Amino acid sequence: MKHSNISIFIPHAGCPQQCSFCNQKTISGSKSAPDSSEVHSICRQALSEVSDKRNCEIAFFGGSFTAIDRAYMISLLEAAGSYIGKDGFYGIRISTRPDSINKDILNILKRYGVTAIELGAQSMVNSVLEANDRGHKAEDVFKASELIREYGFELGLQMMTGLYRSSYSDEVSTMNNIIQIKPDTVRIYPVVVLSGTRLAEFYKNGEYKMMPFEEMTELCGKMLVEFEENGIDVIKCGLHASDEVEGEKIAGYYHPAFREICESKIYRQKMNAEIEKLYNDDISNNRSVIFAVNPSCISKALGHRKSNVEYFRNTKGIDIKVTGDMRILKYHCEIRG
């Protein structure tokens, strides 16, 4: 059954400093933090609109939830908690900083019905964290993750690809460290350079050099495969599409179909490997290849706007066709969407 969230944004609340890339008001579309009455209003409306409440969580996103004023945090939890349980929603999901987790905090979260905690790890390389003003270290992610597991919460980790002073090997190192922690979920947020941020200044003066978009989608495609093969559910890949982001971005890896593009690259690589096998078997006179895939993955195999069809036609002179008829089995690869 598909999971859903009732998202309540608390932009920049609780953050002890401004990270190089961050403009939460733009990302969330929110201008001010909600009070408990607004939480009640949002939840009451959702009760009348959400049919499958037992697969739905009230989610506090946007800031560092456990670093906000304690009384304010509890008031939000109390408001949301009154909609949890019988005839209500499954639980509460929060996002926070790795260095804002301790046993006292976790006891409070447990008391008010929090079910999942997502940590904004962003990178697992200390030099990258320091360069982007994160104010915590990779070790904090390991420690907080262990505590969260100990208390029985669902654990999610959020990472950013393409950060200032992060190399390709740094990205792979972050991925491998996250796999070592083995969270339940991961969100992959490729960097989007927003106006009004320190990162925007670095980009404008040429200090911040970005990996080409094609390379980034290939990298994130690799991460999708690695995380899924290690039993980690990637619940987001790419920044959420919004008018605010589109209006404020000046550079970066923003595309409303970012994940689809990454998944298309996964298919392209595997399809290319199958084609090479065919040619090694002296079938080079065959200029048309049919691939059979899971019917739900046909669009991914074709590529975003049929980009894979164009790629093989233009670079290899091969016409590819994709079918969901598994009886025509020259190629099969199922990727969770």
Side-chain angles (χ1 to χ4, degrees), residues 41-317:
S41 178
I42 292 169
C43 292
R44 278 195 299 267
Q45 182 176 347
L47 275 178
S48 64
E49 296 175 351
V50 177
S51 55
D52 187 13
K53 299 177 181 61
R54 300 313 298 157
N55 282 292
C56 183
E57 288 174 311
I58 301 167
F60 290 103
F61 289 141
S64 298
F65 190 77
T66 60
I68 63 178
D69 175 78
R70 184 67 57 87
Y72 174 51
M73 181 186 77
I74 291 175
S75 73
L76 297 179
L77 289 173
E78 286 179 335
S82 60
Y83 299 90
I84 303 302
K86 185 180 179 182
D87 300 324
F89 303 108
Y90 169 69
I92 299 171
R93 176 178 291 265
I94 64 107
S95 65
T96 192
R97 295 171 55 86
D99 55 350
S100 294
I101 289 291
N102 56 49
K103 291 185 177 182
D104 183 37
I105 285 288
L106 293 176
N107 283 324
I108 294 172
L109 299 181
K110 201 76 172 177
R111 188 183 316 143
Y112 286 99
V114 171
T115 41
I117 301 173
E118 295 189 27
L119 298 177
Q122 316 313 2
S123 175
M124 295 296 287
V125 178
N126 285 334
S127 61
V128 176
L129 293 171
E130 183 177 359
N132 289 275
D133 301 323
R134 281 296 294 166
H136 68 80
K137 295 184 179 297
E139 290 80 2
D140 295 315
V141 182
F142 282 104
K143 292 176 183 177
S145 296
E146 185 177 354
L147 262 182
I148 289 167
R149 287 285 197 207
E150 181 182 322
Y151 273 71
F153 294 98
E154 178 186 312
L155 172 64
L157 294 181
Q158 301 169 2
M159 67 173 296
M160 296 190 75
T161 56
L163 282 168
Y164 173 57
R165 292 192 178 174
S166 182
S167 66
Y168 187 94
S169 62
D170 289 333
E171 308 289 359
V172 174
S173 177
T174 291
M175 177 190 72
N176 288 334
N177 275 293
I178 288 176
I179 289 172
Q180 179 183 339
I181 293 172
K182 202 172 178 56
D184 299 286
T185 64
V186 162
R187 295 179 193 262
I188 303 172
Y189 290 126
V191 167
V192 177
V193 183
L194 300 171
S195 62
T197 64
R198 183 163 164 258
L199 194 59
E201 297 176 12
F202 291 154
Y203 178 77
K204 290 175 181 177
N205 66 26
E207 188 175 346
Y208 174 44
K209 306 291 186 182
M210 304 191 75
M211 184 187 301
F213 187 87
E214 285 289 307
E215 290 183 27
M216 179 56 69
T217 53
E218 289 178 6
L219 171 62
C220 290
K222 171 184 172 66
M223 290 180 175
L224 285 172
V225 172
E226 293 290 334
F227 285 135
E228 296 288 355
E229 287 183 350
N230 282 276
I232 301 169
D233 188 13
V234 182
I235 57 178
K236 188 71 177 176
C237 182
L239 197 61
H240 178 71
S242 71
D243 292 339
E244 288 81 7
V245 171
E246 291 191 7
E248 295 293 331
K249 71 179 178 67
I250 62 174
Y253 311 104
Y254 175 78
H255 193 288
F258 187 87
R259 180 169 187 152
E260 182 183 342
I261 294 171
C262 296
E263 290 174 331
S264 295
K265 294 291 181 66
I266 298 169
Y267 274 93
R268 180 185 298 180
Q269 293 167 2
K270 293 186 176 181
M271 292 162 81
N272 192 58
E274 291 297 319
I275 286 173
E276 289 180 356
K277 290 179 186 177
L278 290 175
Y279 282 95
N280 289 336
D281 291 335
D282 296 326
I283 315 179
S284 57
N285 62 334
N286 183 358
R287 310 309 292 174
S288 179
V289 180
I290 299 173
F291 294 94
V293 303
N294 185 295
S296 66
C297 297
I298 289 176
S299 63
K300 298 173 187 176
L302 289 170
H304 179 64
R305 295 185 176 178
K306 296 190 176 180
S307 59
N308 287 344
V309 175
E310 294 180 10
Y311 170 82
F312 286 108
R313 180 182 296 138
N314 295 336
T315 64
K316 297 183 180 294

